[in-house]
């Protein structure tokens, strides 16, 4: 992309564009004439650049314009709405920053316009009556965000908790009653009605400060490891309850930090204090759709990384909760419940069981609640696009079940994906509990113009419902967890998934002039890890799961085609390039097959092994998957890949998969993730955890996970030749320099240990629950105002849209009568 040649940070596009147009007036007249030639339409950056290039025949002239200000403006433009004689540009000079200008193509005059006018102008292309309707519904969440401080630097996006601690300390310092909100917060802390930290006798800042001085002095005389129980009675007399720590040393440290915060709050101390407070014991996690189970579910429709993520997340959270509870000196059992849909006809999975303990945890469960209508229970799986009519009832049933199961309100509710986030919002609002949301992947950016063309797509995808649900959840929630920066604010070239909800329009339905602000400090990047008991380095010989080796040998090298694999590897001395994914178009497994087929050099160097979907299209009921299966077969024929490719059907045993990655590492091979777009990409970190050098798409999360050329490699899924040559270069280099493969393998592992572990994640998430929990109390009025607005949006808009989504035609089941 062109850099900004003479555009200063303080300059606006509307300020600089007129002069830039004037300087190249002759070419620009031609260029704008081309823009408007085809009448009303929406143009994307590549189309604009294409027209610009075609308008200037002389090569030198062309590169002068492209390297200049106009080249910069056009290459920073995400889209342009053309309604002759005007062209309105949506320019994004930096992540999160947008400017809108309207240019008259004949006169080349430029007007700055605001986002509302840009959206109205764009709507003319799709629905002129709506665009002109003065009373068209406008959604403006920004208008009620009057007290929340926002960040201003693109580089600070996603680091919300850090800034909240700063805002909190300055608020505490400047408030007239100083740290009183903290004292009130402590007074509220309890476990099942039993006071924690302090009781009513320390209800003012002064009383607490004085008591802390006395207590700290007395405790400093005790040996560091004296158990809390030994001095508990004395502390109780001063007004202190359990929760300060399990030993004299820990109690003293917590008290010292508290005293310091009461004296003069500072963000680092506040964060450290909140990470130790006993405010989190019970967590509810929602993941309604799909087949959510612990075995035999991966590969079933809509069931992929989200399930893996949540199960690992629960294990890590429980471990961290148990550690914190011990350190707080408490004897409390934490409870984590994952709430999902109960599917009576569960296709051989356990998704028809109501309660299931989560493997490798002590106190965590999956709790399944069926989708119901007033006529009965839904027996079958329902696509994630079609679940909206059932969510309100599901949320009500879930709230009742959770209270029954936990025997108290949860301390934190976390949603996953659009459906889970909506249900989490309903329940959190009802119970008054802190809420976090995780999108995994927002659907909006996956389909071009899915907002403007919603009418066309709605019968199949019900995006009107989904995007409304997304807006409600992202505004209702106290904090948002993302796996990468890209998910929020994209990259220099591409807007983030959340950023695409900042302003958009669904003509005929609503115009969202302020949907979310990516500079809101509620955004936090907390990247997941991979279970290191399953995905560990191939070099850890003692731990290798050798019992799987005969099966893996069969899976990789047996020459007979069967229901588990087709194709064979004639030369087993070659390293293997490996990929594993659902057989969705966006995963681009067929793309990788084609790159391999076309690249002789790569074919000579390595074999290709793919784990993906099925081979028989009649076994799938997913249109996209069927098309991909057929394409795979035709590519294998077209490039005559027999003897060089092994296609293995979807695998469900993660332990065996872990060993499979390691066996590929034994072959000195590599993992390739070629997706057209990947929100995060768990397989990338699984492979890296196993020590397998990894090539992954530069579109989306993997671009952040891997530092190109250092801890792995980026590949461009839209440039197959370049990507396959990059992989071939790597293997050629490995042939010359035997240490190169090891170097890349180790660098990948180092990257993982520094940034992508569940331990780091769990600490961060629990700290978020704690800090944002206090922040919401400090901002009660603002929170309530927003809640009333989202409730209205839900009641007036979402419910109406959900009613339009057809409900199942399957015969419904009647619940068994209570015994
Ligand atoms: N996976 C699997 N068997 C398969 C394909 C995928 O076990 O046949 C697992 C894979 O190991 C990873 C998850 O499913 O843990 C996929 O997550 P990712 O983030 O890569 O993609 P998603 O499917 O969520 O889009
Ligand atoms: C959904 C996706 O599409 C993947 O990119 C993520 O890795 C997965 O969820 C887990 O967050």
């Amino acid at each position: 992309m062109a850099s900004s040649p003479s555009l200063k940070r303080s300059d606006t596009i509307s300020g600089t564009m007129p002069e830039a147009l004037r300087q190249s007036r002759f070419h620009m007249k031609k260029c704008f004439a081309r823009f408007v030639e085809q009448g009303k339409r929406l143009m994307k950056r590549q189309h604009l650049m294409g027209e610009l290039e075609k308008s200037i025949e002389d090569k030198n002239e062309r590169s002068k314009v492209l390297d200049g200000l106009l080249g910069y403006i056009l290459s920073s433009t995400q889209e342009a709405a053309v309604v002759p004689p005007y062209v309105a540009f949506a320019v994004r000079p930096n992540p999160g920053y947008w400017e809108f200008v309207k240019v008259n193509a004949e006169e080349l005059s430029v007007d700055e316009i605001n986002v509302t006018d840009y959206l109205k102008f764009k709507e003319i292309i799709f629905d002129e009556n709506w665009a002109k309707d003065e009373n068209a519904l406008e959604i403006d969440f920004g208008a009620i965000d009057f007290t929340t401080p926002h960040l201003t630097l693109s580089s600070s996006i996603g680091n919300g908790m850090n800034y909240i601690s700063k805002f909190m300390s300055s608020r505490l310092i400047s408030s007239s009653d100083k740290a009183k909100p903290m004292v009130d917060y402590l007074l509220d802390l309890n476990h099942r009605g039993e006071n924690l930290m302090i009781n009513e006798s320390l209800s003012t800042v002064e009383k607490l400060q004085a008591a802390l001085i006395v207590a700290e002095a007395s405790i400093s005389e005790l040996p560091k490891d004296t158990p809390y129980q030994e001095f508990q009675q004395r502390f109780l007399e001063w007004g202190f309850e359990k929760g300060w720590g399990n030993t004299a040393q820990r109690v003293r440290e917590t008290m010292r930090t508290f005293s310091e915060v009461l004296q003069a709050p500072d963000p680092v101390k506040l964060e450290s204090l909140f990470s130790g407070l006993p405010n989190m014991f019970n967590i509810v996690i929602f993941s309604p759709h799909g087949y959510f189970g612990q075995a035999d579910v991966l590969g079933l429709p809509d069931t992929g990384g989200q399930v893996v993520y949540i199960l690992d997340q629960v294990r890590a959270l429980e471990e961290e909760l148990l550690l914190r509870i011990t350190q707080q000196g408490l004897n409390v059992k934490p409870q984590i419940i994952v709430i999902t849909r109960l599917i009576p006809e569960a296709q051989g999975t356990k998704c028809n069981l109501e309660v299931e303990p989560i493997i490798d945890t002590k106190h965590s469960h999956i709790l399944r609640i069926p989708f119901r209508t007033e006529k009965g229970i839904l027996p079958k799986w329902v696509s994630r696009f079609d679940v909206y009519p059932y969510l309100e009832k599901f949320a009500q049933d879930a709230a009742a079940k959770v209270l029954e199961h936990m025997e108290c309100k949860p301390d934190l509710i976390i949603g996953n994906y659009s459906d889970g986030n909506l249900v989490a919002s309903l329940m959190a609002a009802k119970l008054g509990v802190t809420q976090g949301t995780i999108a995994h992947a927002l659907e909006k950016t996956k389909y071009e113009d899915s907002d403007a063309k919603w009418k066309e797509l709605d019968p199949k995808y019900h995006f009107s419902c989904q995007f409304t649900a997304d807006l409600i959840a992202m505004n209702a929630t106290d904090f948002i967890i993302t796996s990468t920066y890209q998910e929020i604010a994209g990259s220099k070239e591409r807007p983030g998934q959340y950023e695409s909800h900042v302003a958009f329009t669904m003509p005929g339905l609503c115009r969202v002039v302020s949907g979310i602000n990516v500079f809101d400090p509620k955004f936090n990047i907390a990247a997941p890890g991979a279970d290191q008991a399953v995905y560990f380095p191939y070099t850890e010989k003692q731990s290798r799961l050798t019992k799987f080796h005969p099966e893996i040998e069969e899976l990789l090298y047996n020459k007979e085609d069967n229901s588990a694999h087709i194709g064979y590897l004639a030369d087993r001395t070659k390293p293997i390039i490996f990929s594993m994914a659902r057989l969705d178009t966006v995963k681009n497994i067929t793309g990788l097959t084609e790159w391999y087929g076309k690249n002789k050099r790569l074919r000579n160097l390595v074999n290709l092994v793919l784990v993906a979907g099925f081979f028989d299209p009649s076994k799938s009921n997913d249109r996209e998957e069927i098309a991909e299966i057929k394409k795979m077969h035709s590519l294998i024929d077209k490039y005559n890949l027999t003897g060089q490719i092994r296609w293995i059907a979807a695998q469900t045993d993660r332990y065996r998969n872990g060993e499979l990655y390691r066996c590929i590492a034994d072959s000195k091979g590599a993992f390739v993730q070629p997706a057209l777009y990947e929100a995060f990409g768990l397989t990338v970190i699984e492979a890296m955890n196993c020590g397998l050098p990894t090539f992954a798409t530069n579109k989306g999360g993997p671009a952040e996970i891997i530092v190109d050329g250092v801890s792995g490699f980026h590949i461009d899924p839209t440039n197959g030749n370049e990507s396959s040559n990059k992989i071939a270069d790597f293997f050629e280099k490995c042939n010359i320099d035997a240490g190169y493969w090891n170097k890349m393998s180790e660098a990948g592992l180092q990257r993982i240990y520094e940034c992508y572990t569940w331990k780091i994640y769990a600490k961060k998430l629990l700290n978020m629950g704690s800090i944002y929990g206090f922040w919401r109390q400090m901002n009660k009025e603002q929170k309530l105002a927003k809640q009333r607005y989202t409730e209205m949006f839900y009641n007036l808009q979402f419910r109406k849209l959900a009613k339009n989504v057809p409900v199942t035609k399957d015969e419904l089941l009647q619940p068994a009568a209570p015994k």
Side-chain angles (χ1 to χ4, degrees):
M1 185 201 267
S3 59
S4 56
S6 54
L7 190 69
K8 291 196 269 2
R9 208 178 147 62
S10 55
D11 291 337
T12 59
I13 302 292
S14 59
T16 48
M17 200 171 177
E19 178 57 18
L21 288 171
R22 201 188 53 76
Q23 280 177 13
S24 307
R25 194 169 172 83
F26 172 73
H27 296 305
M28 283 305 110
K29 286 280 267 187
K30 267 171 76 182
C31 181
F32 273 78
R34 291 186 78 98
F35 289 164
V36 293
E37 199 177 57
Q38 289 178 41
K40 282 198 288 191
R41 63 185 168 138
L42 202 55
M43 294 177 78
K44 301 291 171 190
R45 181 177 47 213
Q46 64 274 26
H47 305 136
L48 295 166
M49 295 304 275
E51 295 296 355
L52 177 74
E53 287 184 23
K54 281 185 216 147
S55 323
I56 313 176
E57 275 148 32
D58 182 82
K59 240 181 163 181
N60 289 337
E61 277 292 309
R62 193 190 310 145
S63 45
K64 227 167 84 188
V65 173
L66 282 173
D67 292 343
L69 202 50
L70 281 171
Y72 169 71
I73 294 174
L74 289 186
S75 65
S76 306
T77 297
Q78 288 302 323
E79 65 176 24
V82 180
V83 181
Y86 294 102
V87 184
F89 294 84
V91 191
R92 180 179 175 270
N94 271 310
Y97 282 100
W98 292 77
E99 276 184 58
F100 305 94
V101 287
K102 194 162 111 181
V103 179
N104 182 313
E106 287 155 15
E107 297 159 7
L108 297 188
S109 55
V110 181
D111 284 314
E112 183 178 13
I113 52 172
N114 63 22
V115 62
T116 311
D117 287 337
Y118 174 76
L119 293 175
K120 282 183 182 169
F121 186 77
K122 174 174 164 179
E123 285 159 6
I124 299 174
I125 302 171
F126 300 93
D127 185 343
E128 195 154 352
N129 289 337
W130 164 265
K132 291 189 175 145
D133 182 350
E134 282 180 14
N135 295 313
L137 175 63
E138 272 185 14
I139 303 299
D140 186 356
F141 281 100
I144 40 162
D145 234 348
F146 41 87
T147 60
T148 317
H150 286 124
L151 312 174
T152 47
L153 299 177
S154 300
S155 55
S156 303
I157 291 173
N159 204 0
M161 184 164 54
N162 218 290
Y163 287 93
I164 286 291
S165 311
K166 291 185 183 155
F167 300 145
M168 233 152 71
S169 26
S170 60
R171 187 84 75 81
L172 287 171
I173 291 171
S174 61
S175 76
S176 57
D177 50 1
K178 292 274 182 297
K180 182 73 170 81
M182 290 205 57
V183 177
D184 293 342
Y185 183 76
L186 279 204
L187 278 173
D188 273 353
L189 291 182
N190 71 85
H191 180 251
R192 296 181 190 268
E194 198 187 332
N195 282 336
L196 295 172
M197 303 299 278
I198 58 172
N199 58 39
E200 275 300 329
S201 63
L202 299 179
S203 61
T204 66
V205 178
E206 292 72 26
K207 284 184 192 167
L208 178 58
Q209 266 175 326
L212 281 170
I213 293 169
V214 176
E216 215 195 309
S218 106
I219 210 170
S220 61
E221 285 161 14
L222 298 174
K224 285 179 178 174
D225 53 0
T226 313
Y228 181 75
Q229 288 74 5
E230 288 187 17
F231 52 92
Q232 175 175 12
Q233 196 48 41
R234 203 168 358 135
F235 270 51
L236 194 57
E237 283 158 22
W238 291 325
F240 293 107
E241 301 281 343
K242 282 185 281 188
W244 292 89
N246 52 345
T247 60
Q249 183 181 8
R250 201 172 291 282
V251 173
R252 191 175 169 205
E253 279 166 10
T254 319
M255 290 193 154
R256 168 56 60 92
T257 314
F258 215 102
S259 289
E260 285 173 357
V261 167
L262 288 179
Q263 174 180 271
D266 87 76
V268 177
K269 292 239 159 59
L270 261 183
E271 199 173 324
S272 127
L273 182 69
F274 272 90
S275 68
L277 289 183
N279 51 12
M280 191 90 45
F281 306 110
N282 299 305
I283 302 178
V284 165
I285 300 177
F286 277 106
S287 180
H289 75 258
Y291 287 90
F292 191 102
Q294 304 188 74
D296 302 325
V297 293
L298 292 173
L300 294 181
D302 290 349
T303 306
Q306 184 174 322
V307 171
V308 177
Y309 177 118
I310 294 169
L311 290 171
D312 285 350
Q313 175 197 42
V314 170
R315 292 182 193 105
L317 286 178
E318 191 189 271
E319 203 177 308
E320 185 63 25
L321 276 177
L322 286 169
L323 177 71
R324 289 185 181 198
I325 289 169
T326 309
Q327 291 176 344
Q328 287 151 0
L330 300 176
N331 183 14
V332 166
K333 275 190 203 152
Q335 294 190 74
I336 305 179
I337 306 183
V338 177
I339 303 191
T340 187
R341 225 203 112 185
L342 186 146
I343 309 176
E345 292 180 19
Q347 306 288 323
T349 70
K350 289 190 176 165
C351 296
N352 53 356
L353 296 185
E354 184 177 324
V355 182
E356 210 188 327
I358 296 183
I359 298 167
D360 294 333
T361 68
K362 293 197 175 85
H363 314 288
S364 303
H365 291 88
I366 300 173
L367 179 61
R368 297 195 180 85
I369 295 164
F371 278 173
R372 282 199 291 153
T373 71
E374 61 281 8
K375 297 197 183 110
I377 290 172
L378 263 67
K380 291 194 177 124
W381 171 82
V382 179
S383 151
R384 71 184 191 279
F385 295 115
D386 302 333
V387 296
Y388 295 95
Y390 314 108
L391 296 182
E392 185 170 303
K393 184 85 189 92
F394 182 78
Q396 289 159 356
D397 292 350
K401 273 272 181 213
V402 162
L403 295 177
E404 184 189 316
H405 191 96
M406 283 189 165
E407 296 176 346
C408 61
K409 281 202 299 191
D411 305 302
L412 176 65
I413 300 178
I414 301 173
N416 289 277
Y417 195 71
S418 309
D419 54 352
N421 290 333
L422 182 77
V423 172
S425 309
L426 296 176
M427 185 157 144
K430 184 170 173 180
L431 302 181
V433 170
T434 312
Q435 182 197 352
T437 58
I438 306 172
H440 295 280
L442 287 163
E443 218 69 44
K444 187 165 172 291
T445 35
K446 286 193 196 164
Y447 303 79
E448 191 164 89
D449 298 326
S450 54
D451 41 19
K453 295 184 180 156
W454 71 277
K455 274 189 192 155
E456 211 173 282
L457 296 164
D458 230 42
K460 196 160 146 200
Y461 295 111
H462 314 299
F463 285 148
S464 59
C465 242
Q466 184 159 16
F467 301 168
T468 307
D470 286 333
L471 279 181
I472 290 171
M474 58 182 91
N475 279 286
T477 190
D478 296 293
F479 61 96
I480 296 175
I481 300 166
T482 70
S483 301
T484 59
Y485 179 94
Q486 311 234 346
E487 198 178 327
I488 313 170
S491 56
K492 187 94 181 81
E493 290 78 25
R494 188 183 171 123
Q497 296 178 48
Y498 281 96
E499 195 179 354
S500 84
H501 292 73
V502 170
F504 64 97
T505 185
M506 294 194 274
L509 188 67
C510 67
R511 177 183 306 132
V512 182
V513 298
S514 165
I516 187 76
N517 187 334
V518 292
F519 292 94
D520 193 313
K522 66 164 66 174
F523 281 104
N524 284 282
I525 304 164
D531 185 340
Q532 289 173 332
V534 180
Y535 306 100
F536 55 83
Y538 77 103
T539 45
E540 288 181 12
K541 293 267 180 288
Q542 304 301 326
S543 318
R544 291 285 298 262
L545 307 177
T546 46
K547 65 170 181 183
F548 289 126
H549 284 184
E551 291 167 29
I552 291 176
E553 165 74 22
E554 199 281 336
L555 212 53
L556 290 175
Y557 297 114
N558 176 310
K559 292 220 161 134
E560 303 297 313
D561 285 356
N562 58 28
S563 60
H565 49 75
I566 61 172
Y568 69 95
L569 306 179
D571 179 357
R572 57 178 296 172
T573 62
K574 282 185 191 171
I576 290 171
I577 56 171
F578 174 55
S579 198
M580 173 161 74
R582 291 178 290 115
L583 203 46
D584 277 3
T585 319
V586 70
K587 295 288 182 189
N588 201 26
I589 291 292
T590 47
L592 173 60
T593 310
E594 181 144 36
W595 306 346
Y596 179 77
K598 279 186 177 166
N599 192 324
K600 284 222 171 70
R601 193 160 62 100
L602 186 63
R603 288 174 66 169
N604 285 335
L605 286 161
V606 295
N607 288 317
L608 177 62
V609 172
L610 303 167
V611 169
F614 318 96
F615 325 122
D616 179 359
S618 69
K619 280 202 178 145
S620 175
N621 51 11
D622 184 299
R623 262 165 305 173
E624 251 186 35
E625 192 176 52
I626 293 170
E628 287 294 286
I629 296 173
K630 290 184 180 159
K631 195 166 167 194
M632 277 296 290
H633 287 293
S634 75
L635 288 169
I636 292 171
D637 288 347
K638 179 171 171 193
Y639 293 103
N640 194 15
L641 293 176
T642 318
Q644 294 185 306
I645 188 174
R646 174 68 135 201
W647 179 8
I648 302 170
Q651 294 296 304
T652 55
D653 183 338
R654 63 195 192 115
Y655 284 94
R656 198 169 78 178
N657 288 350
E659 198 50 34
L660 179 58
Y661 284 113
R662 287 185 287 274
C663 289
I664 307 288
D666 291 337
S667 85
K668 293 284 177 243
F671 186 75
V672 184
Q673 213 286 15
L676 299 174
Y677 181 77
E678 185 63 59
F680 180 68
L682 286 176
T683 52
V684 173
I685 52 171
E686 289 167 0
M688 288 168 78
N689 262 290
C690 294
L692 197 49
T694 300
F695 293 78
T697 177
N698 64 5
K699 305 276 179 276
E704 252 167 80
I705 303 175
I706 290 172
V707 181
D708 188 29
V710 177
S711 42
F713 301 93
H714 294 167
I715 46 174
D716 181 352
T718 59
N719 192 341
N721 283 344
E722 182 196 278
S723 298
S724 63
N725 279 321
K726 198 164 174 177
I727 304 172
D729 291 346
F730 169 77
F731 283 101
E732 269 178 0
K733 193 162 172 185
C734 290
N735 284 344
I736 301 165
D737 172 2
Y740 187 55
W741 190 94
N742 286 341
K743 189 177 142 211
M744 290 315 292
S745 161
E746 281 160 21
L749 275 164
Q750 195 187 337
R751 175 85 179 148
I752 292 290
Y753 297 147
E754 279 165 13
C755 310
Y756 298 98
T757 71
W758 280 112
K759 178 88 189 149
I760 304 175
Y761 174 100
K763 276 177 191 270
K764 253 191 177 175
L765 197 158
L766 291 182
N767 291 354
M768 280 181 222
S770 179
I771 287 179
Y772 286 93
F774 181 52
W775 182 243
R776 65 183 256 132
Q777 280 211 6
M778 287 180 88
N779 294 284
K780 263 192 207 132
E781 291 80 14
Q782 161 82 59
K783 178 89 199 157
L784 190 64
K786 202 157 198 188
Q787 192 172 316
R788 300 301 286 164
Y789 189 81
T790 38
E791 271 169 14
M792 190 166 69
F793 191 37
Y794 175 86
N795 289 328
L796 295 177
Q797 189 82 336
F798 178 83
R799 293 179 104 199
K800 191 175 66 189
L801 294 168
K803 279 203 183 103
N804 292 340
V805 178
V807 289
T808 180
K809 293 199 178 71
D810 297 333
E811 200 167 318
L812 301 183
L813 308 171
Q814 295 315 309
K819 291 189 189 125

